[in-house]
Amino acid sequence: AKKSAAAVQAASTSQYQFVGVVNDDKGSKGKVTWYARKKPTNSKWSVRLVHVNRDAVLRDLFVKGKVDIYGKYSNEGLDKAAFAAADNGGDAVSDAEETQQPGLKPLVKGNYYVKERSWKNLWNFSPKRMFTTPSGSFWR
């Protein structure tokens, strides 16, 4: 006996939706992490593959007040090309960097990290840091 098209479709559909999140190479979980949830009645899809824009997720968490972003900057010294140009009498150091003239600007690199916001780090106040900072100058 032949089944109707609606009966075949109802039998072949799953009651769950599967979402595959494509991981970047930083994760050790594998290339794709799979999640499942109960399928809503109006849904027309069962499997979906998602590429996550992690920058957008972090910005959204920051705007909603869920995470804090901290930065630490390190001074790497002066640009080496500036000293080479001074030794050459102002001639270009390399042909690849003809558009940028070397200057005596310090090289500053930023390292950023994200922490989950909690009541312990509210308003970025730390009693431990207040008493361990030399002479408390950070807070006075």
Side-chain angles (χ1 to χ4, degrees), residues 1 11 16 29 33 35 40 63-64 75 83 90 92 94 111 116 118 130-131 133 135 139-140:
Y16 292 99
K29 292 183 179 181
T33 306
Y35 299 95
V63 168
K64 290 182 178 179
N75 188 350
F83 292 112
S94 66
N111 299 320
E116 185 176 358
S118 71
M130 180 178 160
F131 292 113
T133 303
S135 73
W139 299 103
R140 293 183 192 151

Side-chain angles (χ1 to χ4, degrees), residues 22-133:
V22 177
N23 298 323
D24 51 2
D25 294 333
K26 298 175 187 173
S28 61
K29 292 183 179 181
K31 295 188 182 223
V32 178
T33 306
W34 290 97
Y35 299 95
R37 70 174 189 170
K38 289 229 180 229
K39 189 175 190 178
T41 55
N42 303 353
S43 180
K44 296 181 180 178
W45 61 271
S46 295
V47 178
R48 182 169 286 173
L49 200 59
V50 178
H51 292 266
V52 177
N53 184 349
R54 298 196 190 281
D55 295 334
V57 171
L58 283 177
R59 184 195 178 279
D60 188 48
L61 290 173
F62 176 73
V63 168
K64 290 182 178 179
K66 304 291 184 188
V67 296
D68 286 323
I69 300 173
Y70 296 90
K72 189 172 190 177
Y73 300 96
S74 59
N75 188 350
E76 305 271 324
L78 294 176
D79 191 4
K80 304 285 187 260
F83 292 112
D87 290 340
N88 292 341
D91 293 336
V93 177
S94 66
D95 294 334
E97 298 182 14
E98 286 182 5
T99 59
Q100 294 181 351
Q101 290 188 349
L104 292 176
K105 297 178 185 175
L107 293 176
V108 178
K109 293 202 177 184
N111 299 320
Y112 300 98
Y113 55 98
V114 177
K115 284 187 181 178
E116 185 176 358
R117 188 176 291 179
S118 71
W119 65 271
K120 294 178 183 177
N121 60 9
L122 190 63
W123 298 300
N124 200 17
F125 177 77
S126 170
K128 177 185 172 195
R129 189 166 42 164
M130 180 178 160
F131 292 113
T132 58
T133 303

